[in-house]
């Protein structure tokens, strides 16, 4: 498996302990110090709403359940009409066997108008989820819907990582050689590189240090690093 070295300190620490994590490879993504922030701004925006309606799931309950979801969806469309006219809706419900005192949550519901066929699917989904959670299945018992849930997903623009060019005949050279102390009984010389100078396909053997504004990547003497297509750093043990 692979380990992802994110955060400001991750690329400096994780390559030192891949064996303890049972990781064959350590990957340092572009801008590791901003990894969480970039993931946050790229995440879809999700808004939730719910309504409680204790109804036994029968074909006759379909119009009422349909009205509950239409009310929530109309409210969400009106709320986000200026940002996205056609958001994505994901429906679910919390249900229980009639007479139970607890619910099985987040059972999926198909999109579209709620019909008698939809209710039959809801009942089947309930029994599948209940069996998955408890190991038992009671299809002869009625199912009661308790809470109806709606997730509204507003698409978000994603962070794009430019592809790196390959090195055009030039030899990658370190910006300088530094001395690492406390790694061994004697000081260890290590090549230092600037991450902004790396190209797709570059290979660096440790010990080495790769500098960038948001982080520092450290490689042991028995490791080798290959630069990926989008600038990600793949660090593995050298082949014997």
């Amino acid at each position: 498996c692979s380990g992802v070295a994110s955060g400001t300190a991750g690329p400096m620490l994780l390559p030192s302990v891949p064996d303890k994590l049972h990781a064959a490879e350590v990957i340092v993504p572009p801008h590791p110090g901003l990894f969480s922030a970039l993931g946050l701004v790229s995440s879809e925006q999700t808004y939730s709403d719910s309504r409680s309606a204790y109804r036994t799931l029968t074909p006759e309950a379909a119009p009422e359940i349909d009205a509950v979801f239409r009310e929530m969806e109309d409210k969400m469309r009106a709320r986000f009409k200026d940002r996205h006219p056609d958001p994505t809706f994901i429906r679910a419900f919390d249900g229980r066997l009639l007479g139970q005192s607890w619910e099985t949550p987040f059972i999926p519901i198909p999109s579209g108008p709620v019909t008698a066929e939809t209710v039959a699917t809801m009942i089947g989904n309930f029994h599948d989820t209940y069996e998955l959670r408890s190991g038992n299945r009671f299809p002869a018992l009625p199912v009661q819907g308790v809470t109806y849930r709606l997730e509204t997903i507003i698409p978000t623009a994603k962070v794009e990582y430019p592809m790196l060019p390959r090195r055009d005949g030039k030899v990658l050279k370190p910006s300088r050689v530094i001395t690492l102390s406390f790694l061994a009984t004697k000081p260890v010389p290590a090549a230092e590189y600037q991450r902004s100078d790396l190209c797709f396909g570059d290979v660096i053997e440790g010990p080495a240090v790769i500098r960038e504004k948001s982080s520092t990547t450290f490689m042991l003497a028995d490791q080798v690093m290959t630069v990926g297509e989008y600038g990600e750093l793949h660090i593995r043990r050298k082949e014997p």
Side-chain angles (χ1 to χ4, degrees):
C1 66
S2 299
V4 177
S6 59
T8 301
M12 185 166 54
L13 300 176
L14 189 58
S16 302
V17 292
D19 292 342
K20 295 184 181 298
L21 302 176
H22 304 288
E25 179 182 57
V26 172
I27 299 174
V28 183
H31 315 297
L34 303 175
F35 188 74
S36 296
L38 292 173
L40 179 63
V41 300
S42 293
S43 299
E44 307 289 13
Q45 298 180 43
T46 303
Y47 300 84
S48 301
D49 198 0
S50 63
R51 297 285 189 277
S52 293
Y54 289 74
R55 293 294 182 270
T56 301
L57 299 185
T58 63
E60 292 73 25
E64 184 175 354
I65 297 171
D66 187 62
V68 169
F69 279 111
R70 280 192 285 107
E71 177 191 351
M72 290 192 288
E73 290 175 0
D74 289 345
K75 179 182 176 181
M76 287 296 184
R77 285 193 183 95
R79 179 178 177 182
F80 299 110
K81 63 181 180 179
D82 296 330
R83 293 173 55 187
H84 200 282
D86 190 24
T88 299
F89 296 121
I90 299 177
R91 297 174 174 180
F93 78 103
D94 299 356
R96 63 187 182 183
L97 296 172
L98 189 62
Q100 275 188 326
S101 58
W102 69 91
E103 296 86 45
T104 300
F106 295 103
I107 300 161
I109 299 177
S111 59
V114 178
T115 64
E117 290 75 17
T118 307
V119 173
T121 300
M122 292 169 61
I123 295 172
N125 289 347
F126 170 85
H127 289 303
D128 291 343
T129 305
Y130 188 92
E131 183 178 21
L132 183 65
R133 289 172 174 265
S134 68
N136 295 309
R137 189 181 187 94
F138 303 99
L141 297 180
V143 176
Q144 183 181 51
V146 176
T147 303
Y148 299 91
R149 302 184 182 277
L150 182 74
E151 286 192 355
T152 305
I153 300 176
I154 306 299
T156 302
K158 307 302 180 188
V159 173
E160 295 185 1
Y161 295 94
M163 296 173 62
L164 296 187
R166 287 188 176 273
R167 189 164 300 282
D168 186 17
K170 298 180 181 179
V171 177
L172 175 64
K173 295 182 179 180
S175 56
R176 62 174 179 164
V177 176
I178 60 176
T179 300
L180 303 176
S181 302
F182 310 111
L183 292 180
T185 56
K186 296 181 180 180
V188 178
E192 180 181 280
Y193 299 85
Q194 302 302 314
R195 190 162 184 177
S196 58
D197 294 337
L198 302 181
C199 292
F200 173 38
D202 281 347
V203 176
I204 295 175
E205 294 191 359
V209 172
I210 294 87
R211 304 278 190 190
E212 58 185 298
K213 290 183 179 180
S214 66
S215 188
T216 298
T217 300
F218 167 66
M219 296 169 53
L220 296 171
D222 61 348
Q223 293 176 330
V224 61
M225 184 198 76
T226 304
V227 181
E229 191 173 15
Y230 290 93
E232 74 279 10
L233 310 180
H234 299 261
I235 301 174
R236 302 180 66 91
R237 282 192 176 276
K238 294 179 183 177
E239 295 294 335

